[in-house]
Every structure is written in structure tokens, then in C-alpha cells.
Amino acid sequence: MAEIDRDALKLEMTGWRRDLHAHPEFGFEEKRTAAFVAAKLREFGLDDVAEGVGGTGVVGTLKRGSGNRAIALRADMDALRISEQSTAPYRSGNPGLMHACGHDGHTAMLLGAARLLAGEGGFDGTVRFIFQPAEEWGKGALAMLDDGLMQRFPFDEIFGLHNMPGPPVGHFETRAGPVMSAEDIFEIVLRGVGGHAARPHSGQETLVAACALVTSLQTIVSRRLSPADISVVSVTELVTDGTRNALPGLARILGDARSFRPEVSAEIERQMRIIAEGIAATYNVAAEVNYTREFVPLRNDAELVEAAFAAAGTVFEPGNIAVAREPMTASEDFARFLDHVPGCFVFLGNGEASAPLHNSSYDFNDDGLLFGVNFHVAIARQRLGT
Ligand SMILES: [Zn+2]
Ligand SMILES: [Zn+2]
């Protein structure tokens, strides 16, 4: 098969990436994006292109040779409800929505990999190209799995990547074991009897109780969990129904907890309920705790991490390949796939000048496109070696 010119591909991918950037869509609303992806995959001549998997997900299948092993490469397609600050000609054309996490870049990279592997082959088996919806709120992977992803498009292992502001373009890192955390969210509602600000003794106001509760929640991580377990409990909102001269009868505390093991997540919830009930009793109000799990922890398979570093060795300069020192307390929907097959998630530099992820000035760095493509292609060829 004829080799595809990499510089021409990079130019083409930059066009796709900017087109996607100009048309950001929120999770499960990625209709245009999914149609764009499916049209490209068909144009590249994939064996099968399935749309509408788990809502707006797309799965492309490419078979070569007679090997019976299958690997999956995954990208995410959704954007965020953030108003973009940019003067770029390809800035968001959808007010209030933007690609502030680089999923436009991830989608373009996986399309580039599909193009190369379809055009050049070099593997024996099946590659599944998974374009998932709704990564940002942790619902898209589960939607695809619930729609029969593993039964309809089986694969033995899965790889994914995310860009990382800070490290230079051409930087690669990952680690074995815990990589990204679980995310739980909670709401604690305190109910009492509000009343006149001048007569606190005649009601059961909730604000002082809420303040005590916010302070006490800080002891979950510092005093109730093992220092060896990394975790975070952050209270992010305190809202009451009071006004300047009326004591609130209702207070809502909202927040977010991160951890790396299900046992730790369970213990955070248990301790939170104990503290909320204790504070409520002390201040003579009622407490209701709503605790839900949004993202599961992401753990990389040790053997596949070795494989990823080996593949990276053929793509990145040796000095730009690093073992990540510690797991991140951010979360990734990719983790859901790892409940079914082993996998490995890796990070690629987006450059020192890059704004942080989820920042209104963020932009994916197009100079990183070919690195992502080459990594996808290298790992597919290595894992499905002829
Ligand atoms: Zn994000
Ligand atoms: Zn992201």
C-alpha cells in the first residue's frame, strides 16, 4: 500500500480540528460532530461505521489479515458550556459552547489514525475506533456500554489519550496503576425554622449549623482517612433561603469528592453522613445527605503501560518520555471501559503557552496532532503485530 504523506495529513487534520472547534456541541448533542466523524470514516474505507451508539457515539471498525485479536482506540467528542475568549478565525460559532478541553483535537487525531491505518495497514486483526459522546459529565462511556458496545464491537484492550497544557508539544507521559480519580458529588440540605434576624432564639436557623458543617467536613480527609490514601473533599457552594434581616430556615451545601479506591469513596460518604447527623443534632436542625458517584477511578494496566511506553519510544524523543510521578485528582470517563477490558490512558503535551483545560482562552495545539496520530498507529501495529 502507498504511504500517506504525513505533512499533507497534518494539514488536512488541522482543517478538521478547526472545523470541529468552530462547531462545538454539548454532551449527547454531538450530532454534527458525529456525522462529520462517520462521513470521514466511510471516506477512508473502513469495514464498518456504526452511528448512534449510546446516543451520539460512533464506532468504526477496520480489519486486516486473519488475526482474531481486537484493540480499541478511543477519542471524546463533546464540548463545554464555556464562552470562548478568542479572535481565531475558527473560534466557536455556537455561543456559550466551546472546545475548552481539546476534544476537537482528540477527535481529529483519531480520525488521522483511522486514515493512516486504513490506507497503510501494517497490522493483523481488528481496530475499533471509538468516538464517545458526553465525556465531560461522565455519562457517554456508560451510554455506549449500555448500548451493547462490548457485545456488538468486541475488543481485548483499549487505549486513549488526553492533551496536557504545560509540558511541551512532543512530550509523552503515563503511569501504571492509579492515574485519575473517581469523582463523587454531594449535596447536604439542612432544614430548620427561619425567622427574624433579631430573634434567633425563637427559630432554628440553619446558617450557623451550615458553617460548622463546612468546617467539620474538612476533617474527613485530614483526620478520618489514612494519609496513605489520596483523596479530596471540597465544599464548593453554600446557599440559603435567607435575606439580610431574616435567618434562613434552609441551607444547601454542595461539593465534590475525589478518591482512587472504591473503599475510600465509600468511607468518605459514611463519614459525611456521621458528621452531618452530628452537626444537625447539635444545632437542632434536620440534615439530608445526597451522595452520588459520577466518575470511577482510572487505573492503567501495568502490561499495557509497558506496551504504551514501547510504542511511544518509536514516536517521541527519549528525553520527552516520562513516567508520571503521581496520579491526578481530575477524572476521566475512559475509566468506565476499564471495567470491561484492560487499557492504558496517556497524556501528550499541549505546550507551555497553553491556557489550562476548561479555561475560556484554551485552544488545542495543532502542532501536537501528528504525535497523537503516530502514537495511535504505533500502539495498534505493535499490539496487532503481524
Ligand atoms: Zn474536560
Ligand atoms: Zn477532556
Side-chain angles (χ1 to χ4, degrees):
M1 289 184 197
E3 198 164 286
I4 292 166
D5 182 81
R6 299 303 194 260
D7 292 335
L9 179 64
K10 185 188 168 191
L11 214 60
E12 208 176 346
M13 284 165 59
T14 301
W16 304 338
R17 206 285 292 180
R18 293 181 177 188
D19 186 299
L20 294 169
H21 191 89
H23 301 92
E25 295 171 301
F26 195 65
F28 292 130
E29 291 166 11
E30 307 95 332
K31 290 199 168 61
R32 183 189 183 277
T33 309
F36 182 99
V37 165
K40 288 285 170 220
L41 295 178
R42 290 197 177 102
E43 182 189 316
F44 306 153
L46 266 68
D47 298 278
D48 181 58
V49 179
E51 292 179 78
V53 183
T56 39
V58 181
V59 181
T61 298
L62 183 63
K63 291 184 197 241
R64 290 289 183 271
S66 55
N68 54 15
R69 280 180 36 79
I71 78 157
L73 306 173
R74 171 274 203 178
D76 37 17
M77 300 189 291
D78 56 324
L80 287 150
R81 291 203 204 283
I82 294 175
S83 294
E84 184 166 23
Q85 307 291 311
S86 169
T87 52
Y90 57 86
R91 67 184 171 274
S92 169
N94 297 343
L97 282 170
M98 80 172 279
H99 271 296
C101 207
H103 298 184
D104 48 347
H106 305 161
T107 297
M109 289 193 282
L110 191 54
L111 283 175
R115 170 90 199 276
L116 274 189
L117 287 167
E120 296 181 353
F123 64 96
D124 181 25
T126 302
V127 183
R128 310 277 189 198
F129 299 90
I130 298 178
F131 295 86
Q132 83 150 80
E135 188 285 323
E136 291 290 356
W137 45 302
K139 298 281 178 276
L142 216 47
M144 293 188 89
L145 290 161
D146 287 347
D147 201 8
L149 179 77
M150 301 309 300
Q151 295 75 37
R152 295 162 64 194
F153 313 100
F155 49 88
D156 303 301
E157 53 196 53
I158 185 165
F159 296 85
L161 58 80
H162 206 291
N163 76 94
M164 190 186 228
V169 166
H171 172 90
F172 174 96
E173 71 175 66
T174 188
R175 76 197 301 277
V179 183
M180 299 187 81
S181 72
E183 183 190 17
D184 307 336
I185 56 175
F186 60 86
E187 175 197 49
I188 305 175
V189 183
L190 297 179
R191 288 194 178 84
V193 178
H196 201 292
R199 297 182 51 78
H201 57 291
S202 61
Q204 294 147 16
E205 65 92 11
T206 53
L207 184 56
V208 173
C211 292
L213 182 50
V214 170
T215 305
S216 294
L217 291 173
Q218 309 310 312
T219 65
I220 295 178
V221 173
S222 67
R223 288 297 175 267
R224 294 162 189 249
L225 296 174
S226 163
D229 279 315
I230 302 172
S231 56
V232 183
V233 173
S234 288
V235 175
T236 53
E237 289 180 72
L238 168 53
V239 189
T240 76
D241 67 349
T243 184
R244 196 191 54 76
N245 56 3
L247 294 164
L250 183 128
R252 286 172 70 229
I253 291 168
L254 295 105
D256 175 296
R258 311 278 170 146
S259 57
F260 291 91
R261 294 194 299 123
E263 298 81 0
V264 176
S265 164
E267 188 60 14
I268 291 172
E269 178 181 358
R270 198 175 77 85
Q271 294 294 341
M272 188 171 287
R273 290 184 185 279
I274 291 171
I275 291 171
E277 277 162 30
I279 295 277
T282 302
Y283 290 87
N284 196 25
V285 295
E288 177 192 328
V289 179
N290 300 309
Y291 194 98
T292 58
R293 293 179 172 80
E294 306 297 309
F295 286 84
V296 295
L298 196 163
R299 291 185 70 86
N300 274 345
D301 178 83
E303 188 192 322
L304 297 185
V305 169
E306 291 285 308
F309 276 119
T314 67
V315 175
F316 301 86
E317 295 294 329
N320 292 337
I321 298 174
V323 177
R325 276 198 308 277
E326 54 194 29
M328 287 180 220
T329 51
S331 306
E332 236 301 333
D333 202 22
F334 181 81
R336 296 279 181 191
F337 298 113
L338 306 184
D339 286 341
H340 299 267
V341 290
C344 175
F345 197 68
V346 308
F347 300 92
L348 308 189
N350 198 52
E352 296 92 332
S354 170
L357 298 173
H358 296 203
N359 180 289
S360 58
S361 298
Y362 170 86
D363 194 12
F364 181 84
N365 192 331
D366 291 318
D367 288 338
L369 285 168
L370 267 188
F371 285 104
V373 172
N374 290 338
F375 173 72
H376 279 313
V377 169
I379 195 76
R381 287 179 173 157
Q382 183 216 96
R383 298 304 293 170
L384 301 174
T386 45

